[in-house]
């Protein structure tokens, strides 16, 4: 059900991407880390090359990841999630899960519900008639008036591919839009996650705010936070060297 790519060898680190993304969004960071760890880049259901899921609640997405972990026989692992992937990672950590989750990294997302804020993206993607658009350049031009940020457009276009000679999106656009409320909700909790957790925030992003600290600590009492200056919601893409060092330093503490 879940497609994955594995890099390197050593202790296991699992990466979960955000909405409209795919595991290969993390390939650059994963390659850096694969010199010391076995890195798994997962495509979440309804994204990339993974199977589609009609009811993508956080619980069901976490269950799919949990099934993947079980099927691979992984017993000790570290889990990183960005945005939607961060919510899925938190959902897994806060409830019964396979094996021992030894460290958690959450990138620019808090364990709270978010109001709808992808309306223009969904409108642009639904409006784009891929059967009539010949290439990526044409698709980008078509969505540019609604998706004004060039970085966001380039991110979306990474999920464009040719299917039977025609362009198509790798993500399940219809389900992501119709079930958006499900993935916008807060993770549910059976018990707090008492392992070490690191929350990484882009300084210019509003996804995590100061008022979230109390909630985060109630669910992740042994968590710490790091800010990366000059970055927004994708700090790993905007400052990859700084992000990579923060990540490796946190992971390396496990053996100390």
């Amino acid at each position: 059900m879940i497609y994955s790519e594995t890099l390197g060898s050593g202790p296991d680190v699992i990466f979960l991407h955000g909405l409209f993304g795919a595991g290969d969004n993390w390939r650059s960071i994963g390659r850096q880390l694969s010199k010391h760890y076995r890195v798994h880049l997962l495509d979440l259901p309804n994204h990339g090359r993974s199977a589609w899921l009609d009811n993508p609640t956080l619980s069901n997405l976490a269950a799919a990841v949990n099934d993947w972990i079980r099927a691979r026989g992984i017993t000790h692992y570290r889990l990183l999630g960005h945005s939607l992937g961060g919510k899925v990672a938190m959902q897994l950590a806060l409830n019964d899960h396979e094996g021992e989750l030894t460290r958690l990294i959450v990138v620019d997302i808090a364990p709270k519900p978010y109001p709808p804020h992808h309306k223009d993206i969904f409108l642009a993607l639904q409006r784009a008639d891929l059967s009539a658009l010949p290439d990526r350049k044409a698709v980008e031009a078509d969505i540019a008036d609604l998706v004004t940020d060039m970085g966001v457009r380039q991110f979306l276009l990474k999920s464009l591919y040719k299917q039977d000679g025609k362009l198509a999106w790798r993500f399940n656009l219809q389900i992501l839009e119709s079930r958006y409320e499900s993935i916008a909700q807060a993770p549910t909790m059976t018990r707090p996650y008492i392992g070490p957790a690191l929350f990484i925030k882009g300084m210019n992003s509003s996804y995590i705010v100061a008022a979230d600290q109390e909630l985060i600590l109630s669910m992740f009492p042994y968590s710490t936070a790091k800010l990366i200056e000059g970055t927004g919601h994708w700090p790993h893409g905007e400052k990859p060297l700084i992000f990579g060092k923060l990540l490796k330093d946190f992971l390396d503490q496990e053996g100390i």
Side-chain angles (χ1 to χ4, degrees), residues 184-206:
Q185 294 304 307
T188 58
M189 180 176 69
T190 301
R191 60 187 174 280
Y193 173 69
I194 59 172
L198 174 64
F199 282 74
I200 301 177
K201 168 181 163 58
M203 181 69 80
N204 302 327
S205 170
S206 60

Side-chain angles (χ1 to χ4, degrees), residues 150-220:
M150 184 176 69
V152 175
R153 291 200 303 272
Q154 292 298 315
F155 169 72
L156 293 170
L157 291 172
K158 288 180 180 179
S159 289
L160 201 59
Y161 78 115
K162 282 283 183 78
Q163 183 181 49
D164 299 326
K166 295 183 179 180
L167 291 172
W169 298 111
R170 287 202 181 276
F171 45 73
N172 186 344
L173 179 58
Q174 306 304 326
I175 288 294
L176 292 179
E177 183 172 26
S178 65
R179 300 307 306 269
Y180 182 86
E181 186 176 339
S182 295
I183 58 178
Q185 294 304 307
T188 58
M189 180 176 69
T190 301
R191 60 187 174 280
Y193 173 69
I194 59 172
L198 174 64
F199 282 74
I200 301 177
K201 168 181 163 58
M203 181 69 80
N204 302 327
S205 170
S206 60
Y207 275 76
I208 301 177
V209 297
D212 296 327
Q213 183 178 11
E214 183 177 352
L215 174 64
I216 290 171
L217 287 174
S218 72
M219 303 171 84
F220 304 94

